[in-house]
Amino acid sequence: MDASVKKAINTLIEDSTSVIVCSLDEDGFPNAKKMYTVENEGLKTFWFSTNISAIRTQQWLKNSKSSIYFYNDADVRGLMLIGNIQVYTDNETKQLFWKDGDEEYYPLGPTDPDYCMLRFTADKGNHYFYGSKEIFAIDSE
Amino acid sequence: MDASVKKAINTLIEDSTSVIVCSLDEDGFPNAKKMYTVENEGLKTFWFSTNISAIRTQQWLKNSKSSIYFYNDADVRGLMLIGNIQVYTDNETKQLFWKDGDEEYYPLGPTDPDYCMLRFTADKGNHYFYGSKEIFAIDSE
């Protein structure tokens, strides 16, 4: 991938406060939800916090297939990453990502049994910019 | 559904200039793309124009399962409609929805063989507003 494209993609991710996260429902239909990223490592790994009881968490527990989608209206740039979501319920992971203010969502604190972390791992990506698009494998980046 | 919720949902759709449209790729992963709606009839039917050669059009020709997702950051309101997408390639439908300026995307005009219309038909919906959510069947609305 061209260095300027890579930079633009990284800027898109850094500037995004939220991202559309997709799952598969029990009937095999694609579902979408806006979520807030907690942390990411390049284009490969993205962490989200959520409730175990949430409909979409239950979907990923049954089928890990997912995609996440960033979009910037200003420069008509989109990035879809395709991969899988793993649900982490262990206290070590939960404590690692815990932040002040998370009590609002998980009143019992970092060991709240309804709090979990989602780890999205990308396998490939689609980058759109105006009419052009580029499909790429993540490991090569 | 409560009348005020119904009104808020209709406002969300009317105020949206674009919507996230989901599909299934050849490996069964959910995909997402931002698209511009051409026309809608309530919550049941949404029309989009696109290229037949587009990756996502080809996906819907193989598997019609879809969802469309509206979101408004200002009032933390989201609406996901789940349903199916049918691809229309007949000239009658294409001419019906043709608008001035579409030549930019389909240079050969309303009968451009790469221009087609997508019809999304919703079966059920998910409405999110802050922490609350409501799942509903579309035919009852």
Side-chain angles (χ1 to χ4, degrees), chain A residues 21-41:
Chain A
V21 186
C22 296
S23 59
L24 294 172
D25 69 19
E26 64 274 19
D27 301 313
F29 282 77
N31 283 197
K33 190 173 189 185
K34 192 166 196 168
M35 295 186 76
Y36 299 93
T37 48
V38 172
E39 210 169 279
N40 72 295
E41 296 148 29

Side-chain angles (χ1 to χ4, degrees), chain A residues 1 5 9 12-13 42-46 66-70 78-84 120-129 132-141, chain B residues 25-27 29-32 55-56 59:
Chain A
M1 186 189 289
V5 170
I9 286 178
L12 172 64
I13 293 173
L43 299 181
K44 185 72 181 167
T45 308
F46 292 77
S66 180
S67 63
I68 67 177
Y69 182 67
F70 296 90
L79 174 71
M80 176 173 62
L81 300 172
I82 298 174
N84 292 272
F120 172 81
T121 307
D123 292 322
K124 56 182 174 176
N126 272 260
H127 172 238
Y128 306 89
F129 182 51
S132 74
K133 56 177 174 277
E134 185 180 3
I135 297 173
F136 54 93
I138 299 295
D139 286 330
S140 70
E141 296 312 308
Chain B
D25 68 19
E26 64 275 19
D27 301 313
F29 282 76
N31 283 197
I55 293 175
R56 253 145 286 283
Q59 291 175 348

Side-chain angles (χ1 to χ4, degrees), chain B residues 37-55:
Chain B
T37 49
V38 172
E39 209 169 281
N40 73 295
E41 296 147 28
L43 299 182
K44 186 71 181 169
T45 307
F46 293 76
W47 289 92
F48 304 88
S49 85
T50 192
N51 297 93
I52 293 179
S53 58
I55 293 175

Side-chain angles (χ1 to χ4, degrees), chain A residues 92-110:
Chain A
E92 196 180 332
T93 304
K94 287 161 65 169
Q95 272 162 334
L96 190 65
F97 289 99
W98 184 263
K99 289 197 306 287
D100 283 346
D102 282 353
E103 297 89 354
E104 188 186 337
Y105 309 102
Y106 319 109
L108 301 181

